[in-house]
């Protein structure tokens, strides 16, 4: 889908970010209201964002198709879209993310058509949002300012670090592994889902050289069962009360009582944010510091066939998983010198790699190097959440400013709200949030 022609005519709602989160919100607003909406995207590919802009068909969704609808009130929307296109995938399949990206683009195109001119897509980077008497004014780089009654930040993920020669801080760009010799050595910093994406891209292009994946604990995501499993029947109410240690002990007791990991995680899946909100700030800090890595490898699992590829790469000696820490040394255009200290050891191991890719996962925290963040921080409209995971937001996703007061004009959607929700990076979570935000905006502007 192409961007529409820029227009300075005012709108009711401006959505900053045209990735998955922004598209889901735009679709809900079009379906539920007659409001005028502008969807503003700085990149060339609407609806894709980081996750769905991949060209690698081995990058699969981590959730079966049956739970990947973009619309909370239409549970079979994605499955029906797959069937109409005769794409060869069913409800229980893990669909390539590139195909899901086309689904989101189709959803946006259908929303634009349905809107009859009320939804327009604008190309540009929003570098400032300022209060005006009747709403806000958005400075869109290279265009005239855009007036809106309310604005929603749906800005998605940022890369872990910056590029420098053979060190690549953005693992989602093709350049991260482009030009690497088939026999070249590569270090992937991180062992979670981002690492797996880069690994699969390397294998797809026929890479034969050694691959080292390193993280503090060396934990790799588990895989889904080969076939869907029924959700078990078990009382988990005591997991929502007491201290973090007490809850963890009760959780382990469930496992000892033969309630296996996949079943327990599936049982808790609809209640993850409720679990999070029941923890106080100190308990949340302890969870992030000590338990998050183990939670993530069981909660954010990969498709069975991806797990098989990881096991095969390890079995043939191509992939090595290392637990420890790394220090980046001298970097040139074709080499990176690193020092590795393995977990439990004081020995400093110096090694040279043809390529290093930062796979530690996306960043969502406040960053004054981002022009929009810098301006909003300066104006007192934005502050980090207490855990520095993202932007501080109220119960209704209103942006909280320096004075602790929630805005009545600026809202946030998707991964930047990670500090409040922690589980807000997957479509099943974002689609519910998008529906709630849409309903709140419609009610406020009615």
């Amino acid at each position: 889908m192409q961007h529409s022609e820029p227009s300075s005519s005012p709108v009711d709602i401006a959505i900053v970010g045209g990735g998955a989160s922004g598209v889901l919100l735009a679709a809900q607003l079009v379906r539920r209201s007659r409001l005028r909406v502008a969807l503003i995207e700085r990149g060339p590919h609407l609806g894709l964002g980081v996750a769905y802009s991949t060209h690698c068909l081995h990058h699969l969704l981590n959730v079966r198709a049956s739970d990947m609808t973009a619309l909370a009130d239409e549970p079979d929307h994605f499955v029906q879209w797959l069937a109409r296109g005769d794409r060869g995938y069913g409800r229980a399949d893990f669909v390539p993310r590139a195909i899901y990206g086309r689904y989101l683009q189709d959803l946006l195109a259908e929303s634009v058509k349905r809107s009859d001119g009320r939804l327009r897509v604008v190309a540009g980077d929003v570098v400032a949002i300022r209060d005006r008497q009747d709403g806000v004014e958005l400075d869109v780089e290279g265009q005239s300012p855009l007036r809106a009654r309310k604005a929603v930040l749906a800005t998605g993920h940022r890369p872990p670090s910056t590029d420098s020669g053979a060190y690549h801080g953005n693992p989602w760009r093709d350049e991260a592994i482009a030009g690497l010799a088939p026999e070249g050595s590569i270090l992937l910093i991180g062992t979670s889902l981002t690492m797996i994406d880069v690994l699969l891209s390397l294998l797809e292009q026929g890479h034969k050289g050694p691959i080292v994946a390193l993280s503090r604990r060396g934990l790799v995501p588990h895989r889904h069962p080969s076939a869907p499993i029924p959700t078990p029947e078990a009382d988990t109410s005591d997991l929502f009360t007491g201290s973090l240690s007490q809850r963890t002990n009760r959780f382990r007791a469930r496992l000892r009582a033969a309630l296996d990991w996949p079943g327990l995680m599936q049982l808790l899946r609809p209640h993850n944010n409720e679990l999070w909100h029941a923890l106080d700030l100190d308990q949340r800090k302890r969870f992030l510091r000590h338990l998050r890595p183990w939670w993530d490898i069981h909660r954010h699992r990969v498709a069975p066939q991806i797990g098989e590829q990881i096991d095969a790469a390890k079995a043939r000696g191509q992939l090595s998983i290392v637990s420890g820490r790394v220090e980046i040394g001298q970097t040139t255009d074709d080499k990176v010198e690193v020092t590795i200290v393995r977990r439990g050891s004081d020995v400093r191991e110096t090694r040279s790699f043809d390529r290093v890719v930062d796979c530690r996962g996306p960043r969502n925290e406040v960053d004054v190097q981002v022009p929009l963040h810098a301006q909003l921080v300066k104006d007192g409209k934005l502050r980090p959440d207490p855990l520095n995971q993202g932007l501080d937001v109220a119960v209704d996703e209103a942006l909280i400013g320096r004075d602790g007061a929630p805005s009545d004009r600026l809202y946030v959607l998707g991964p930047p709200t990670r500090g409040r929700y922690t589980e807000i990076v997957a479509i099943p979570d974002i689609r519910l949030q998008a529906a709630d935000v849409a309903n709140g905006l419609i009610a406020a502007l009615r």
Side-chain angles (χ1 to χ4, degrees):
M1 176 176 174
Q2 301 297 318
H3 291 86
S4 66
E5 290 298 316
S7 172
S8 59
S9 58
V11 297
D12 296 304
I13 299 169
I15 304 172
V16 182
S21 300
V23 168
L24 265 57
L25 177 59
Q28 292 287 356
L29 290 170
V30 167
R31 280 164 168 73
R32 299 176 183 219
S33 75
R34 300 290 299 175
L35 295 173
R36 298 161 299 164
V37 180
L39 182 65
I40 309 166
E41 169 58 32
R42 65 181 181 180
H45 304 299
L46 286 159
L48 302 183
V50 166
Y52 309 113
S53 58
T54 177
H55 303 297
C56 177
L57 292 180
H58 287 91
H59 290 170
L60 305 182
L61 297 172
N62 297 322
V63 178
R64 298 182 192 274
S66 58
D67 199 28
M68 283 301 292
T69 177
L71 304 174
D73 54 351
E74 296 185 37
D76 285 335
H77 190 264
F78 179 51
V79 172
Q80 292 171 355
W81 179 87
L82 287 171
R84 286 197 302 272
D86 193 24
R87 293 173 174 85
Y89 295 98
R91 302 180 60 84
D93 291 328
F94 295 90
V95 178
R97 296 208 308 265
I99 291 179
Y100 194 80
R102 293 199 285 273
Y103 164 66
L104 291 175
Q105 290 180 321
D106 280 1
L107 175 65
L108 177 57
E110 188 272 335
S111 298
V112 170
K113 182 178 180 180
R114 179 191 288 241
S115 75
D116 193 26
R118 289 178 290 109
L119 170 61
R120 70 174 189 260
V121 182
V122 178
D125 188 13
V126 177
V127 295
I129 304 177
R130 298 183 177 86
D131 281 340
R132 292 293 181 260
Q133 183 175 0
D134 55 349
V136 295
E137 184 177 80
L138 296 87
D139 288 348
V140 184
E141 203 167 50
Q143 295 193 22
S144 301
L146 175 67
R147 291 287 188 100
R149 296 167 70 187
K150 297 182 185 293
V152 180
L153 306 183
T155 48
H157 298 300
R158 300 193 308 279
S161 56
T162 57
D163 297 348
S164 177
Y167 175 95
H168 287 261
N170 187 340
W172 306 303
R173 296 173 58 193
D174 293 339
E175 291 85 347
I177 60 173
L180 179 63
E183 304 298 332
S185 61
I186 184 168
L187 171 65
L188 308 179
I189 304 175
T191 58
S192 295
L193 295 176
T194 303
M195 179 278 290
I196 293 174
D197 276 355
V198 178
L199 171 67
L200 295 173
S201 295
L202 287 165
L203 298 179
E204 184 180 65
Q205 70 178 28
H207 188 75
K208 303 296 183 185
I211 303 169
V212 176
L214 177 147
S215 67
R216 181 181 173 190
R217 295 179 177 86
L219 299 174
V220 178
H222 290 202
R223 70 183 73 178
H224 284 278
S226 57
I229 62 173
T231 300
E233 295 184 6
D235 181 12
T236 59
S237 58
D238 60 349
L239 298 180
F240 294 81
T241 59
S243 69
L244 183 60
S245 297
Q246 290 172 328
R247 298 183 196 200
T248 302
N249 289 334
R250 294 167 190 161
F251 192 93
R252 290 169 175 160
R254 295 291 193 287
L255 300 178
R256 290 194 295 269
L259 186 61
D260 62 2
W261 273 107
L264 183 55
M265 298 303 284
Q266 187 165 298
L267 181 63
L268 292 174
R269 176 69 181 87
H271 310 289
N272 285 342
N273 282 318
E274 185 181 349
L275 282 169
W276 180 249
H277 290 150
L279 300 175
D280 61 29
L281 181 59
D282 181 63
Q283 290 173 329
R284 293 182 188 185
K285 290 179 179 178
R286 290 177 58 210
F287 175 86
L288 292 175
R289 187 165 57 249
H290 300 296
L291 296 179
R292 183 63 177 265
W294 279 274
W295 173 269
D296 282 351
I297 64 171
H298 292 90
R299 163 69 184 87
H300 300 289
R301 290 166 287 170
V302 298
Q305 53 269 52
I306 289 179
E308 292 172 1
Q309 291 185 70
I310 295 170
D311 289 346
K314 290 165 63 177
R316 63 177 175 264
Q318 183 180 15
L319 173 64
S320 302
I321 305 295
V322 175
S323 58
R325 58 185 176 86
V326 63
E327 300 170 6
I328 303 300
Q330 183 178 2
T331 301
T332 66
D333 289 341
D334 53 11
K335 288 288 181 182
V336 181
E337 303 293 331
V338 306
T339 299
I340 294 174
V341 181
R342 295 176 184 262
R343 190 173 179 86
S345 172
D346 293 327
V347 177
R348 297 173 64 81
E349 177 184 347
T350 301
R351 296 184 61 175
S352 177
F353 289 90
D354 299 309
R355 188 71 52 89
V356 174
V357 181
D358 190 343
C359 301
R360 289 175 294 178
R363 295 170 52 224
N364 307 114
E365 74 277 11
V366 175
D367 184 354
V368 294
Q369 300 303 311
V370 177
L372 180 57
H373 282 197
Q375 176 264 320
L376 291 173
V377 168
K378 181 181 178 182
D379 291 354
K381 302 296 184 182
L382 179 152
R383 72 180 188 183
D385 69 73
L387 296 167
N388 200 32
Q389 298 286 296
L391 315 186
D392 202 7
V393 297
V395 175
D396 62 351
E397 324 305 345
L399 189 63
I400 295 178
R402 182 192 304 140
D403 60 0
S407 173
D408 62 354
R409 299 176 181 182
L410 299 177
Y411 299 81
V412 190
L413 175 68
T417 65
R418 190 175 182 179
R420 173 167 173 75
Y421 293 101
T422 197
E423 293 282 344
I424 198 67
V425 296
I427 293 293
D429 302 302
I430 298 174
R431 70 177 176 230
L432 296 176
Q433 189 188 38
D436 288 343
V437 171
N439 288 338
L441 290 171
I442 293 166
L445 294 173
R446 183 170 292 142

